[in-house]
Amino acid sequence: MAVMRRTRGMEQKETARLFSESWRLSRAYHGNSLSVHMPGMFVVNGRRGKYRAVSITGTQCELNCEHCKGSLLKTMAHACSGDSLYRLGMEAHARGDLGMLVSGGCDSTGRLPWQEFLPAIRRLKQNTNLVITVHAGTVDAGTAAALKEAGTDQALVDVIGDEETARQVYHLPAGTAGIRGTLEALRAANLEVVPHIVFGLHYGEEKGEWQALRMLSDFPLTRYVVVVLTPMKGTPMAGVTPPGPVDVARFLARARIELPGLKAHLGCARPRGRYRRELDVQAIRAGINAIAIPCDAALEEAEAMGLEISVTEGCCSLAGFGSP
């Protein structure tokens, strides 16, 4: 027992050291602020965000990733034609929304049917002030350039650093090389990329997250988002135990130390309840710059630590949007 207590005490001291250094770097590079976000996919205390998600494939997805199996598409509005996407965009504009996340399921190679929806995106950008973010999927240079030319503002890309995870969980035939190729194509098109790292994606294990972070260092990014595996009913991962909140927070701290110039965001996809409360508070202490739908305890911790809090009814990818 004494050995266990000493080990636990050493781990706590190491965590405190990590958090102290990551907090210092966060303040030095990014100031004393915290950006709080409420995306349109959620209703919190009767209030819905102003950045809703739309699936351009309805509930259809050929990849059928092990952690999702298309479940997330069921929560989105569906726009399976360019005209319906334009109509939903105009409705969002009339509501006063900030923008729209255009998403959908992928084919067996990880691609979305962007070509038939580009004219609708172009018309929305011409006729509204909506910010248009896309879940890019796998794209080549031509598709990336076409998305940019149509007026797309941001591309969200899930970055996986482990080859086995990319193939077995996401079923990507090109593996991690396809992800790197997508990042290269988007860079060539000068389209802003906001990479997402799903912590615990390999059945709750930490596997490849560090390699994913190192991949980011090869590209001219300004921010990244960390989300956490959230077991979903009806999927092979329904019974998986997510990684511990402190493990996620330690990764956030180490990531800050490794890439101090990039803003670190904690995204909306993470387990609820007591798990979220512990993670959110620890993430604040680790020096994150933006957080989606935080618990009250996290906001109280941010205030106690002297952070200046701003609230936006949009995706956390918009934190600092357009800034260098």
Side-chain angles (χ1 to χ4, degrees):
M1 290 294 294
V3 173
M4 290 179 61
R5 284 196 295 270
R6 284 198 298 271
T7 301
R8 191 177 302 115
M10 291 173 63
E11 289 178 351
Q12 290 173 346
K13 287 182 180 179
E14 174 62 14
T15 298
R17 185 196 67 78
L18 275 173
F19 284 11
S20 176
E21 179 63 6
S22 60
W23 174 271
R24 183 189 70 79
L25 289 170
S26 186
R27 305 286 74 81
Y29 279 82
H30 307 291
N32 206 43
S33 62
L34 176 71
S35 184
V36 171
H37 295 260
M38 189 168 68
M41 294 78 79
F42 301 90
V43 177
V44 180
N45 297 325
R47 181 180 173 189
R48 182 188 287 275
K50 296 181 177 180
Y51 211 92
R52 303 192 190 187
V54 176
S55 170
I56 57 174
T57 65
T59 60
Q60 300 302 308
C61 179
E62 292 182 20
L63 275 188
N64 274 316
C65 303
E66 297 297 297
H67 70 306
C68 174
K69 293 297 182 182
S71 298
L72 292 173
L73 300 177
K74 298 176 183 178
T75 67
M76 303 178 186
H78 295 166
C80 297
S81 69
D83 287 343
S84 57
L85 177 62
Y86 181 75
R87 183 177 67 254
L88 285 176
M90 293 306 294
E91 291 173 0
H93 176 63
R95 282 194 305 267
D97 284 5
L98 301 175
M100 185 165 59
L101 171 60
V102 184
S103 185
C106 298
D107 66 15
S108 60
T109 67
R111 298 178 184 274
L112 282 81
W114 289 120
Q115 288 300 327
E116 64 179 290
F117 293 91
L118 293 174
I121 293 174
R122 185 178 297 107
R123 289 173 65 199
L124 286 172
K125 293 301 296 183
Q126 291 171 343
N127 297 325
T128 74
N129 59 356
L130 293 173
V131 177
I132 302 293
T133 301
V134 301
H135 267 143
T138 301
V139 298
D140 56 21
T143 302
L147 283 166
K148 175 68 175 180
E149 190 276 332
T152 302
D153 295 291
Q154 288 182 330
L156 310 187
V157 177
D158 288 353
V159 178
I160 303 169
D162 177 68
E163 190 68 24
E164 185 180 17
T165 304
R167 293 179 182 275
Q168 290 188 4
V169 177
Y170 266 43
H171 304 156
L172 291 171
T176 58
I179 296 169
R180 178 174 287 277
T182 289
L183 294 173
E184 294 280 7
L186 293 167
R187 172 169 61 179
N190 198 31
L191 180 53
E192 181 178 9
V193 178
V194 183
H196 284 52
I197 297 175
V198 185
F199 196 89
L201 179 61
H202 196 90
Y203 298 89
E205 299 178 14
E206 183 177 354
K207 186 177 182 181
E209 287 84 349
W210 195 250
Q211 292 94 316
L213 190 77
R214 291 286 172 82
M215 194 187 301
L216 303 188
S217 66
D218 295 334
F219 296 91
L221 307 170
T222 58
R223 68 202 87 243
Y224 60 88
V225 178
V226 174
V227 295
V228 184
L229 175 72
T230 305
M232 302 180 68
K233 293 181 180 179
T235 73
M237 295 198 192
V240 167
T241 300
V246 175
D247 293 329
V248 181
R250 285 180 185 143
F251 175 76
L252 289 166
R254 294 189 186 102
R256 163 69 72 218
I257 294 168
E258 180 74 11
L259 299 174
L262 300 187
K263 291 184 177 180
H265 303 181
L266 183 60
C268 55
R270 57 194 194 276
R272 304 285 194 266
R274 182 180 299 177
Y275 184 104
R276 172 164 291 194
R277 184 185 188 281
E278 181 176 355
L279 172 57
D280 289 7
V281 171
Q282 297 288 357
I284 295 296
R285 294 171 181 168
I288 59 168
N289 307 111
I291 183 170
I293 47 174
C295 65
D296 291 342
L299 295 177
E300 293 167 3
E301 184 72 12
E303 290 176 351
M305 297 185 79
L307 294 178
E308 300 171 3
I309 300 172
S310 62
V311 180
T312 301
E313 294 176 314
C315 288
C316 68
S317 67
L318 300 181
F321 172 69
S323 64

